[in-house]
Amino acid sequence: DQQVKQNSPSLSVQEGRISILNCDYTNSMFDYFLWYKKYPAEGPTFLISISSIKDKNEDGRFTVFLNKSAKHLSLHIVPSQPGDSAVYFCAAGAGTGRRALTFGSGTRLQVQP
Amino acid sequence: DAGVIQSPRHEVTEMGQEVTLRCKPISGHDYLFWYRQTMMRGLELLIYFNNNVPIDDSGMPEDRFSAKMPNASFSTLKIQPSEPRDSAVYFCASRSPGLAGTGELFFGEGSRLTVL
């Protein structure tokens, strides 16, 4: 049973438009969430995170929204750029960080010029 | 500062052979994780260590998989005997003590394993 789910395997958007990537989780013990970005033949790299005490965190073009009641988070990229084309993984963790992160299956984003 | 270093980057082997993947974490990081990426399951945790001690190996698929961390700067993931279904990209990641609260991991570039 997957505790972190990314139900959209792929997403295609036009350059300059908004990209919205979604993630759902089932474990109510998760209290921090992260997004990672992965280019082909490279390891995932950290993008942005949010604690469960917040409902929004913004970093430049990237904003993560958390809806705890729905157990749902989303990553917004505005405006989208061709260089954003990558696989995005949602991840969740519980406790003080002593445990490992649980990752979703990833969403491949393609930004069309 | 060097990142997480994994070797080999690519490994092609035949079913039944032993495979050893290696990882050097970032100096000073006290957690080390092994993840496997597949199309079906995404990134799944295999095992992780804290201060060289295995904490949770419940993600290791079978007894064919084993992992060790003999010191703070080196870890291995061994598959013996290997099977075609083990074909995947294996990632090693480490975490700084200062980032324990955020859970942020630093990944290596991965080892792509193909078992024929």
Side-chain angles (χ1 to χ4, degrees), chain A residues 32 36 41 43 96-98 100-101, chain B residues 9 35 45 48 95 100 103 105 108:
Chain A
Y32 56 93
Y36 280 76
T96 59
R98 294 168 59 85
L101 294 178
Chain B
R9 290 296 310 277
Y35 283 89
L45 176 70
Y48 72 100
R95 189 173 73 204
L105 305 182

Side-chain angles (χ1 to χ4, degrees), chain B residues 4-79:
Chain B
V4 175
I5 299 172
Q6 292 187 244
S7 65
R9 290 296 310 277
H10 302 274
E11 175 89 10
V12 180
T13 190
E14 293 188 346
M15 184 173 64
Q17 296 298 307
E18 178 179 298
V19 173
T20 299
L21 307 178
R22 297 172 178 80
C23 176
K24 176 179 169 55
I26 294 173
S27 177
H29 284 195
D30 60 347
Y31 277 84
L32 183 140
F33 304 83
W34 283 99
Y35 283 89
R36 177 171 71 174
Q37 183 189 10
T38 62
M39 290 293 292
M40 295 298 294
R41 301 177 67 86
L43 277 169
E44 56 177 337
L45 176 70
L46 299 176
I47 185 171
Y48 72 100
F49 297 82
N50 177 219
N51 291 322
N52 314 337
V53 176
I55 302 300
D56 184 356
D57 66 353
S58 59
M60 297 286 259
E62 301 170 30
D63 291 345
R64 298 184 296 108
F65 285 69
S66 62
K68 294 182 179 179
M69 191 166 185
N71 57 63
S73 60
F74 184 65
S75 177
T76 60
L77 177 67
K78 185 176 294 186
I79 309 172

